[in-house]
Amino acid sequence: MFTTGFKFFFGIGVALATAGVLYGYTSGGNHMGPVSLGWKGGVGEHVGYGLLVGLGVTAMGTALTLIFFRDADPADQADYMGVDDIAPTQPVTGSHWPIVAAFGVGTMAVGLVLNTAVFVTGLVIVAIVAVSWTMDAWADRATGDPVANRALRNRIMAPIEIPAAGAVVVGLGVLAISRILLSSSKLGAVIVAGVVAVVILGIGVLAATDAFKFNRHVVAGLSLVVAVAVLGGGVWAVVEGEREFEPHETHGSETHDEADEDHGDDESHSDDGDEDAEHTDGDTDGE
Amino acid sequence: MTMTDSPPATETASAAPSPAVAGLYESLTTTDHKRIGRIWLQSGVLLLVGALVLGVLLGIERLDADSTDIFGGDNAYFQIWALYRIALVLLVAAPLFIGLATIVVPMQVGSTNIAFPRAALSAVWGFLIGAGIMIAAVLANGGWGAVDRASGDERDAVALTLVGMGMVVLSLLLASLCIATTVISMRVKGMTLLRTPLFAWSMLVACAVWMLTLPVLLANLLVAYVDLHNGPGTFGGGLSGDLSIYGQIAWIVEQPQVYAFAIPVLGILGSIVPVAAGVRGARHGLSLGLIGFFGLLSVGAWAQPYFQETNDALVRYDEKFVYIAFGIAAIFPVLGAIGGAADSVFRGRDRVAGLPPAHLLGALGGGVLLLAGTAAGVARVIQPLDLGDRVSVAGVMNLVLFAAIASAIAGLWFWAPKIGGHELSPMLGRMVVAEIVLGAVLLGGAQFINGFFLTANNPLVAPTEDAADVLNLVSLLGMALIALGALGLLASLAKAMRSGETGADDPWSGHTLEWATATPPPAGNFAEPPALVTSESPLLDISPDEAADEGEES
């Protein structure tokens, strides 16, 4: 008749409410105050009384909700759905989150000792795992149908995961390409930037005009190749280091490193004719 | 809300056997308890070999520490010495039992999987990553005690050792939680706690003790970590100098805590011997009680020398009544369990006559080693013998831990069909078990006796008596014998994997539910839910007619 959930929460609610009333009377409550929520008399110490009674009422409300909807009672669910028997719960399926969680904790452990950035990276991984794992665990038991469970999970998580994953991919891409540009020669950087721009433009045009129907596996394979190329190039560029930049004086003693390229603005600077020579920015430069 | 009044039926997955070869992704992400358990076992066996290599090298160094310098100085010698001890407990004994339990316990209690399988998977990967960090950091001169003997340049390495070890402990705790929950809440209908198979029960007790005590080790590591950053003695440790970090955690390799890692020895003894003898185990309730009592006596997180009062007017922890009483009492449950095993062997003497199978030899050998270890522990707490800081401490540790390892190997041979789908070579098994048990007797026995010749526990203190050299040589021979046994173990596993021959469903006429399923067990373990359990040996309760029917169906 009464579900376990109802008994559990109702018991907690009664215990908390009773404790609240006792606390009210022992902390200065009088007359009927503690049992009438302060309507006829004082409730004593307000904060403690309010917390205990509030939590108690919340728990009892939860209990009533559970008994009303007969939550998770298979027989009642079957009755409600008009079927003989609800689908059995599925065995827990494999998941990549456990190994990612272990990797995240390991990253945190190493970062704790060696490098704050590594620690924060581990922390972010663990936070992502915590949210995603929790959602997966919830969705796995939402219904007896794995397909419906997956759809339910995606409906909630996809609006978060897709932009976040997109941001990570774009961020990594920008970072990698910027390292490549900084590592290349001036001419090389122009070529790389031009090629990247043309590729992005071309992909956009193809996607917008719907001129070609690509096999999804081909697209996935090409994307993987491009991603590996960009990330690999970025790593290579980091290892190679940036090309040489000459110190670039600004006002007074202020200097900054900048590639030795001509400025197209109206700054006034002392140019001795050698384009690689050190020069001083005009007062409008960078101000 | 997911709270259920009566849980919906869990779908029994298709009875197709687990695939022999699975893809890499599937291996990394599996939630099948058998595959998770196999990762634990493989890790434990490989780490056992590594620990034994260290043990042999340490034995050679200890033979003549003055002229031999394998490790490149006292500092490194001390760190490797500590690594061997910590590894034997946390990286070998505990993972071997957790691996066995992760595979066997769910089947023994009639469950389709382990509780919280994703957490169990997370635990094994966390363990491997933590162990990797810890070992690498120690090898980078970051072992326990390093900063006290060197300039302090290796502070980061020491800190990594501490966090790696913390990760290992957390992972063991998580795995323990999964196993304990499986025994408590996933037993099949009719299987009350009093009808729980002895191995499952012993793992429940062991996991409970680990969950009570290992968090204290985590706290020790945290204290050591803070000390490392804020200067030694931040928390006012009683000891200082060479052993200040190792001294805080040494209690896990000393009695009574070291007994906690041998609790399943009694469960394996009680599970294997009656089956091998072909008799029903007698006084099941008493066996449960003895295992529980031994577990109670192995709670040793309070016996921490590092924080004891050094004032002579106060009583040292090892002079307290409760420590002495625990030390003496621990031998009685072991004696009781061995008495029960002897009773089973006597009743089934016709069946065990002749060459005993490897699992019986291992289970009995493990029991005898544990008896020797607890007996040495009794001598250790008798104050007039003054063995407190002698190498006898290592003798107790090695006897107890190799009892655990021998038992785990017995379990490997016994449950091999359910673990990997193959039976292991009986002849190689006998050799492996014999070498490990005999080697442990030589190693632990010689170390224990060596304590009477005033040889110190600290490896950097040279022995003063000539007899100590002879005993050190005997210890080395024992360690070499054990290492030989471990190589045999690797060869047996490799041979079984190569053979590809599927084992029988129930080669030993087992008594408990794991033998009611196919070999290798299918996903979900049981094609049909097990029948109502009415005793601690459910397979002995099936009538001959039912057994015949089942045979025809299969």
Side-chain angles (χ1 to χ4, degrees), chain B residues 357-393:
Chain B
H359 53 267
L360 178 63
L361 208 58
L364 290 173
V368 170
L369 281 178
L370 185 58
L371 184 65
T374 48
V378 172
R380 157 78 176 74
V381 299
I382 294 174
Q383 290 297 313
L385 295 178
D386 196 21
L387 296 173
D389 54 356
R390 305 275 166 73
V391 73
S392 305
V393 174

Side-chain angles (χ1 to χ4, degrees), chain B residues 8 18 106 110 151 156 178 212 228 248 267 291 337 356 405 422 429 440 483 511:
Chain B
S18 307
S151 64
D156 282 350
C178 298
L212 277 172
L228 195 66
Q248 288 187 56
I291 293 171
I405 290 163
H422 315 288
H511 300 175

Side-chain angles (χ1 to χ4, degrees), chain A residues 3-5 8-9 66 71-74 88-96 98-99 101-103 106 109-110 112-114 133 140, chain B residues 1-11 13 25 28-31 117-119 121-122 125-126 129 133 156 159-160 163 167 225:
Chain A
T3 64
T4 306
F8 178 71
F9 281 106
L66 289 178
D71 181 57
D73 183 334
T89 54
Q90 300 295 313
V92 178
T93 53
S95 168
H96 52 270
I99 190 169
F103 176 74
V110 173
L112 183 69
V113 176
L114 298 182
W133 190 337
D140 282 350
Chain B
M1 301 300 294
T2 55
M3 188 166 287
T4 56
D5 190 32
S6 51
T10 301
E11 184 175 277
Y25 180 79
L28 297 175
T29 61
T30 182
T31 47
R118 289 178 183 163
L121 180 65
S122 198
W125 289 121
I129 293 173
I133 293 172
D156 282 350
L160 275 176
V163 294
M167 208 171 153
Y225 188 85

